C-alpha cells in the first residue's frame, strides 16, 4: 500500500531537504517549543519502528571454540630450543623444522581448544619464541 503525500506535505519535505544540519537542529528546537513535545524521547521508538519491519535480526556472535597457535618470531639465540618445541607441537621431523619456520609469522597448529592453544603458546614463549593464539 503506497500512500501519496499531499502537495503541501511534499512542499515541506522538499524544503526540509535543503536545510543545513544547523538549520534542522534549530527547526527541531522550535517545533519542541511550539508544540510542547520532546523529539529526543520519540527518536528511539521511531528508529525501532523503522528497523523492525522486514529487518532480519542481527546474527548472534558465535563464541570461538577452536584456536590456532601462530609462531611470530624466533630470536637467533633461541633457535635450538624453539625448534625442539616447534617439532613437538607441529609433530614434524627434525629436518623439516628449519624449512617450516623459514617464513614467519606462520600458523603452527590449527583447530585447538583454548586450553591446548594456550599451553602450546606458553611452551613457545618459555623457549624464547614470540607466539600468539588466534
Amino acid at each position: 500500500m503506497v500512500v501519496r503525500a499531499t502537495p503541501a506535505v511534499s512542499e515541506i519535505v522538499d524544503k526540509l531537504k535543503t536545510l543545513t544540519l544547523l538549520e534542522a537542529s534549530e527547526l527541531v528546537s522550535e517545533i519542541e517549543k511550539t508544540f510542547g513535545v520532546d523529539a529526543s524521547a520519540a527518536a528511539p521508538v521511531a528508529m525501532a519502528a523503522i528497523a523492525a519491519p522486514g529487518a532480519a535480526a542481527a546474527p548472534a556472535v558465535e563464541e570461538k571454540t577452536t584456536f590456532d597457535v601462530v609462531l611470530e618470531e624466533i630470536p637467533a639465540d633461541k633457535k635450538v630450543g624453539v625448534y625442539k618445541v616447534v617439532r613437538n607441537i607441529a609433530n614434524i621431523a627434525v629436518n623439516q623444522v628449519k624449512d617450516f619456520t623459514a617464513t614467519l609469522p606462520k600458523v603452527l597448529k590449527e583447530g585447538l581448544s583454548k586450553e591446548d592453544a594456550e599451553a602450546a603458546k606458553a611452551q613457545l614463549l618459555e623457549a624464547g619464541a614470540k607466539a600468539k593464539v588466534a
Side-chain angles (χ1 to χ4, degrees):
M1 177 171 126
V2 177
V3 177
R4 301 248 180 229
T6 64
V9 171
S10 293
E11 184 182 337
I12 292 170
V13 169
D14 288 339
K15 286 184 181 180
L16 288 174
K17 289 179 185 178
T18 65
L19 294 179
T20 66
L21 199 52
L22 181 59
E23 291 170 329
S25 176
E26 289 172 2
L27 175 63
V28 170
S29 296
E30 196 60 36
I31 289 172
E32 287 176 330
K33 286 181 211 168
T34 303
F35 297 105
V37 294
D38 184 7
S40 64
V45 175
M47 292 307 291
I50 291 169
V61 176
E62 291 185 31
E63 187 173 326
K64 193 170 181 179
T65 57
T66 60
F67 299 86
D68 301 337
V69 178
V70 179
L71 181 60
E72 296 181 313
E73 187 180 322
I74 302 173
D77 62 328
K78 306 283 184 180
K79 280 188 179 184
V80 174
V82 173
Y83 282 178
K84 288 179 183 179
V85 175
V86 167
R87 209 176 121 234
N88 289 333
I89 293 171
N91 206 16
I92 56 178
V94 175
N95 59 347
Q96 295 174 313
V97 175
K98 188 173 181 183
D99 290 339
F100 184 82
T101 59
T103 56
L104 296 176
K106 183 174 237 161
V107 175
L108 185 59
K109 192 83 169 183
E110 297 178 315
L112 298 174
S113 69
K114 177 95 172 153
E115 296 79 24
D116 290 344
E118 289 294 342
K121 176 185 167 189
Q123 289 175 9
L124 290 164
L125 294 176
E126 188 177 315
K130 184 176 177 187
K132 70 178 180 179
V133 174

